[in-house]
Amino acid sequence: MASYAYLFKYIIIGDTGVGKSCLLLQFTDNRFQPAHDLTIGVEFGARIVTVGQKRIKLQIWDTAGQESFRSITRSYYRGAAGALLVYDITRRDTFDHLATWLEDARKYSNANITIMLIGNKCDLEAKRAVSREEGESFARENGLFFIETSAKTAANVEEAFVHTAADIHDKIQAGVLDVTNESSGIKLGPTQPNLSSFPSGSAETVRGCC
Amino acid sequence: MTTLRELGQTSQYTEQHLLSVSWKLFLEYLPGLDDIHLLWPEALHKERSHYERLHMKYIIEPSQQLNPSSDDQVSPIEGPTRPISPSVVDLSIHNPLSLAQDSPWQQYFQDNELKAIIQRDVERTFPDQPCFNQPDAQRAITDILFVYCKMHQDTSYRQGMHELLAPLWKAVNEDRFHRGTGFPSDPVVSQDNIIFQVLDARYVDHDAFALFCRIMRVARPWFEVSDVARNASANLRPRTALPGAGSDRSAGGTISDSLRYLKIAELSRATPILAKCNHIFYSLLKRVDPSLFQHLESLEIEPQLYGIRWIRLLWGREFPFDDLVTLWTALFAHDPNLVAVEWVCVAMLIRIRHLLLEGDYSTCLQHIMRYPPLTGPGTAVSSPGDGEGGPLHPTPPATQPAGCHIGPYHSNQDGAGDQPVQLGSRFPAGH
């Protein structure tokens, strides 16, 4: 089994058809499937990335856009360290619905969750219906990271997942996230990070646990 | 009919029989094999007229309802819903620019939004099956779903319904018969042409709708998510409702176990699909394969993670299309109320038990959610003949009774997976 320092749990949310599953597939398998099956319920993917010389396993949950999934699966929103909130830059309605998705994410997730706003399908510039500035502005107003991606060309897909991981990692370093609390969406991996890098309070907790 | 149902549960059946007629029989659209020259035309007429009326009511543009002779969609079946005569209509309301609440055009424009939502999903139906890329197929499937949603506005359209309908429509469409193409075209009911009435190409959509409705009688609750469930889940906030030992550390003791389980039970009651997933896992699998149950439970792999997709789509994503058709045929042949669904799910878990028992959380999820392909001659189902005992025999899997069984799965590792998982042909009634 590949070793890693931490496991971070992500969720991907957003309207149906914005490309959530395609982003996940591009990230985990480096391929694009133009006619992707509709997600029914939930899909699952995993990949290891490197952040600050640490190997971090991302365990990613991708849900159906139509489903209000929190109402049927406790473990979905239960402890996610990162959320990718996705809209389609060619469909205005998917941008207009962001506030509702964000409300859900805030309400049911960990207070310290890192949220990356993603404007997907940026390869379709000619069909653009939401400007980059609008996306940036929404992200700024709501304290989110922002990036435009193309699951088709793979542009910025890696960055979206890795930047989110880097922010979560920073929060661990800063002692904002407690790695022993599973609801934070973080687990220690089979190989332990250097505990001396933790603020003393967290380090104590880690030792006590493991 | 009993013999036919038994045959339907064998793997060779779908290669040798007209699929759509079998499904019509198994799902009790056609009323058995007795007196078919009297009873089949009656049943066909009743169901087809029903869809014709609904189609006229919900799909046809208001202007065409007024003036049906302007296009070729005139009902070939006499029904009580006749086109409205322009002479009795108030055209100040009955026009597309009218803002009156009771203008049929207002509803028509609202409906188009729902239809667009359905259409978008239908375009993604079984991407590997070329027939579903055809505009006619997509239009038909969208229309049928739309009519169904209009009839059941409390559930309305839920993603996944399209993948229950699509294989039904495909089966009916592939068996369709056009009158005047080398066969007797005389519409008079006779022994020679009854089967051509059953396969009449003009009624593909009507018949697919009838089959879909029969499936949805059982499946509709699987798509329901009630407000009660939403409220209950709001109380199961992450910091207070974490099952399992690992999570208890973080639960902070803010909610007791008993209260938590009470909430989960409440959630299950309010959401039928959850209740079904839980029943399969906490009741059936636990009895049939306790060690597999304990392993998955210890990993906290909730049954609804995979169960929702398995059950809502009747395994449409788990098996290749041909295997799916074989499995559905066996399922329908076994019982029109699909009581075997739960047991097929149990069998699927047991079939890959050796992979699961060796796996950690991620590995198990990978195997369950990307289900290993069926290999070997065979297939999704087979019938080993008469068996003994009940389906709840405690020792899996080889001593399970006869009937449907899923398998075989050939493991590359230790051969343990070669053992087919059998399910009883006399399942107890569903949960």
Side-chain angles (χ1 to χ4, degrees), chain B residues 79-362:
Chain B
T81 304
R82 298 292 184 81
I84 310 158
S85 163
S87 62
V88 298
V89 166
D90 179 355
L91 289 175
S92 68
I93 293 174
H94 205 297
N95 79 74
L97 299 179
S98 166
L99 296 175
Q101 282 290 320
D102 53 347
S103 166
W105 286 94
Q106 288 293 321
Q107 187 63 48
Y108 177 74
F109 292 132
Q110 279 176 27
D111 287 349
N112 275 348
E113 289 175 27
L114 172 62
K115 218 184 288 182
I117 290 171
I118 296 172
Q119 168 80 30
R120 199 161 55 215
D121 288 353
V122 166
E123 286 167 6
R124 296 167 68 180
T125 303
F126 291 104
D128 60 327
Q129 295 294 310
C131 77
F132 297 123
N133 294 331
Q134 303 301 315
D136 283 352
Q138 293 183 357
R139 191 254 332 137
I141 292 171
T142 303
D143 279 2
I144 295 168
L145 286 170
F146 178 75
V147 167
Y148 182 84
C149 293
K150 293 295 285 182
M151 292 171 66
H152 301 91
Q153 297 195 27
D154 48 340
T155 309
S156 192
Y157 170 69
R158 306 292 302 180
Q159 289 184 331
M161 289 179 182
H162 64 307
E163 289 189 35
L164 287 183
L165 169 61
L168 302 173
W169 186 86
K170 182 172 189 276
V172 178
N173 187 55
E174 286 185 346
D175 289 347
R176 73 190 184 279
F177 165 72
H178 289 280
R179 282 168 182 269
T181 51
F183 292 99
S185 56
D186 182 357
V188 175
V189 177
S190 78
Q191 191 163 357
D192 295 330
N193 72 7
I194 182 68
I195 194 64
F196 300 131
Q197 288 186 48
V198 175
L199 303 176
D200 194 326
R202 292 175 300 170
Y203 305 116
V204 170
D205 299 357
H206 305 63
D207 290 357
F209 174 78
L211 293 176
F212 180 64
C213 286
R214 275 163 177 75
I215 300 240
M216 289 304 288
R217 276 181 201 164
V218 182
R220 189 154 73 98
W222 305 341
F223 290 90
E224 287 171 1
V225 180
S226 71
D227 290 338
V228 181
R230 292 198 186 97
N231 296 335
S233 74
N235 295 327
L236 286 168
R237 298 283 289 277
R239 281 177 293 282
T240 57
L242 298 168
S247 314
D248 285 343
R249 285 199 304 274
S250 59
T254 52
I255 189 167
S256 71
D257 271 0
S258 57
L259 185 55
R260 174 155 54 83
Y261 284 118
L262 197 66
K263 294 280 184 197
I264 292 169
E266 185 187 337
L267 196 56
S268 296
R269 269 197 305 279
T271 310
I273 186 72
L274 265 190
K276 199 162 191 70
C277 291
N278 286 339
H279 178 66
I280 288 165
F281 186 68
Y282 292 103
S283 177
L284 303 183
L285 184 69
K286 190 177 180 181
R287 260 187 288 174
V288 175
D289 194 343
S291 52
L292 180 58
F293 165 78
Q294 279 161 14
H295 181 65
L296 294 176
E297 194 193 29
S298 70
L299 295 175
E300 298 185 37
I301 296 179
E302 295 179 325
Q304 62 265 37
L305 292 177
Y306 50 91
I308 286 175
R309 190 177 72 211
W310 286 10
I311 296 169
R312 279 192 182 160
L313 303 184
L314 291 174
W315 317 287
R317 299 283 173 80
E318 273 49 63
F319 301 112
F321 200 83
D322 289 347
D323 285 342
L324 181 71
V325 166
T326 307
L327 183 57
W328 278 24
T329 304
L331 182 75
F332 303 160
H334 175 265
D335 184 282
N337 293 315
L338 317 183
V339 296
V341 164
E342 295 169 354
W343 289 102
V344 173
C345 291
V346 172
M348 285 172 63
L349 289 172
I350 294 175
R351 177 177 162 264
I352 57 169
R353 73 189 299 274
H354 65 292
L355 295 175
L356 299 177
L357 287 171
E358 292 167 358
D360 61 5
Y361 180 84
S362 290

Side-chain angles (χ1 to χ4, degrees), chain A residues 16 38 44 66-67 78 108, chain B residues 159 238 242 312 317 370:
Chain A
T16 194
L38 203 60
F44 167 82
Q66 191 193 31
E67 189 94 65
R78 179 183 102 196
Y108 296 101
Chain B
Q159 289 184 331
L242 298 168
R312 279 192 182 160
R317 299 283 173 80
R370 284 171 204 153

